[in-house]
Amino acid sequence: MDDIVDDTPFWSVLEFTYSDRSTDSEFVMMCHQHRFIVRLSVEQFITSPQLRERYLFFLDVAEHFELDGYTVDDFYDWVAEPMLPIFRELSPRNHIGSTLDEFLFPETQVHVVFADGDSMVAEEQQEAEDIPQVKVFLKDGTAAYLKLIDPGDKSILLHEIETYRKIHDVHLGKTLRISRLIGLVQAIDDEDVVIYGLLLTYLDCGHMTLLCAVQLETPTNLRTRWATQVSDTLARLHDAGIVWGDAKADNILVDQHDNAWIIDFGRGYTEGWVEPGLAGTREGDLQALDRIIEFIRTAEGPTSL
């Protein structure tokens, strides 16, 4: 009898996050120096009650670490199963000679896993993905977010650093709920200093943005709290002469104590929140604020411009 050859490629899970307010989860996987962001939610299994229940069970496993003899590793294997055909198409790469760029900015694909009948399939999403943020620890044990920067976004990087410098110089109180710059991650490339990332305030939010936090069942007192916090924070920034920039619900984090934090002071705008002509201005911030508050109030996305 011929030996059975296992052609399963080596893969690993770098990060796994899920929400205790919804059924969304996200896995960051690596295989042959390629990064895969894999997203799931219970709505994606509506056509298969069996897979839906299995997914909900594994979320319980993640919550309790171990349940009925299953661990989170079994959850990883279950999610990876529909990704294996994609992993097998990748050619192994020799790690020798890998550059810092390849390590920090691996080729990345975003996939959604959903039910097709009683089978699970993975489908690639084509929309652009935001530069990721990674939790790191500094020498003194302080936690920070490392926001990796695309080397081609030099003007955006300089603008963001300048905004953080202004925030530091005007001595805004430490209680103001905004992200702050702790330091830079740099390397020397052909005698030039290259900035690869920003070290930012670590916020214990479990990757929960306001866009995800607001649900139809969200109580009125929380809606009012978030709307007030965002409005007051933006008013204090404007009083100090600082423009938010890419103002939108996705750039507001909700921490474990249900407080709303404004993040991301890079230059830019997102369609549906700010008109292009108002991008990067106080007026654009206020336009986005109106849409954010309306979103909080109704639990619906921003109206189209």
Side-chain angles (χ1 to χ4, degrees):
M1 181 176 180
D2 294 336
D3 293 335
I4 297 177
V5 178
D6 184 3
D7 65 344
T8 302
F10 175 78
W11 57 269
S12 62
V13 174
L14 298 183
E15 187 176 352
F16 162 52
T17 57
Y18 67 99
S19 169
D20 58 2
R21 296 190 180 96
S22 68
T23 60
D24 297 343
S25 62
E26 182 176 282
F27 297 78
V28 180
M29 298 180 170
M30 290 293 294
C31 181
H32 295 324
Q33 294 179 267
H34 287 71
R35 178 171 55 204
F36 296 87
I37 299 173
V38 184
R39 294 170 177 162
L40 302 90
S41 70
V42 73
E43 289 82 6
Q44 291 156 207
F45 297 102
I46 194 170
T47 63
S48 174
Q50 181 180 1
L51 290 176
R52 179 181 183 277
E53 291 305 311
R54 195 62 170 169
Y55 175 61
L56 292 174
F57 169 75
F58 274 126
L59 288 180
D60 284 340
V61 171
E63 180 71 22
H64 296 89
F65 301 104
E66 184 175 355
L67 188 64
D68 295 342
Y70 290 89
T71 68
V72 71
D73 288 333
D74 296 302
F75 193 5
Y76 295 169
D77 291 338
W78 188 75
V79 173
E81 187 65 31
M83 295 295 297
L84 292 181
I86 299 167
F87 293 164
R88 291 190 181 101
E89 293 178 356
L90 302 176
S91 299
R93 294 181 180 177
N94 191 334
H95 289 262
I96 298 176
S98 294
T99 66
L100 184 58
D101 275 343
E102 290 173 338
F103 175 77
L104 291 176
F105 305 104
E107 184 175 334
T108 301
Q109 296 180 20
V110 182
H111 285 75
V112 172
V113 170
F114 60 95
D116 183 6
D118 289 327
S119 300
M120 290 202 307
V121 296
E123 183 175 279
E124 185 176 1
Q125 288 186 318
Q126 299 299 326
E127 77 271 12
E129 190 64 21
D130 290 335
I131 295 296
Q133 295 192 10
V134 181
K135 183 180 180 182
V136 298
F137 290 93
L138 309 182
K139 287 184 178 180
D140 62 358
T142 301
Y145 270 123
L146 169 59
K147 179 181 178 180
L148 299 175
I149 302 297
D150 189 324
D153 290 340
K154 185 176 180 179
S155 63
I156 296 175
L157 169 64
L158 294 177
H159 175 84
E160 189 164 6
I161 291 175
E162 176 63 16
T163 301
Y164 280 119
R165 185 193 64 77
K166 291 179 181 177
I167 290 173
H168 177 270
D169 289 348
V170 296
H171 302 290
L172 291 171
K174 293 183 178 180
T175 58
L176 189 64
R177 296 185 180 92
I178 60 173
S179 61
R180 300 171 193 258
L181 181 65
I182 298 173
L184 304 175
V185 176
Q186 304 177 105
I188 297 178
D189 183 11
D190 295 332
E191 300 183 354
D192 290 329
V193 176
V194 178
I195 298 176
Y196 282 98
L198 307 179
L199 289 173
L200 302 172
T201 310
Y202 172 72
L203 303 175
D204 189 8
C205 62
H207 297 281
M208 176 65 70
T209 70
L210 186 68
L211 196 65
C212 300
V214 179
Q215 303 289 326
L216 289 174
E217 65 273 14
T218 300
T220 301
N221 66 312
L222 271 185
R223 295 173 187 266
T224 302
R225 178 179 188 172
W226 293 335
T228 301
Q229 287 180 338
V230 174
S231 298
D232 290 350
T233 299
L234 187 58
R236 289 186 60 186
L237 287 171
H238 283 178
D239 287 344
I242 295 168
V243 173
W244 183 4
D246 193 6
K248 59 182 177 179
D250 239 354
N251 279 339
I252 300 169
L253 297 183
V254 177
D255 68 18
Q256 298 297 327
H257 301 289
D258 287 323
N259 291 314
W261 296 70
I262 285 180
I263 65 167
D264 198 341
F265 294 95
R267 183 173 57 195
Y269 79 98
T270 299
E271 184 178 355
W273 298 99
V274 181
E275 292 179 3
L278 296 179
T281 67
R282 178 190 177 103
E283 291 74 17
D285 282 357
L286 294 177
Q287 182 185 71
L289 178 63
D290 287 342
R291 293 176 178 273
I292 290 168
I293 292 176
E294 178 67 12
F295 167 72
I296 294 173
R297 186 182 68 82
T298 63
E300 296 177 356
T303 57
S304 58
L305 294 174

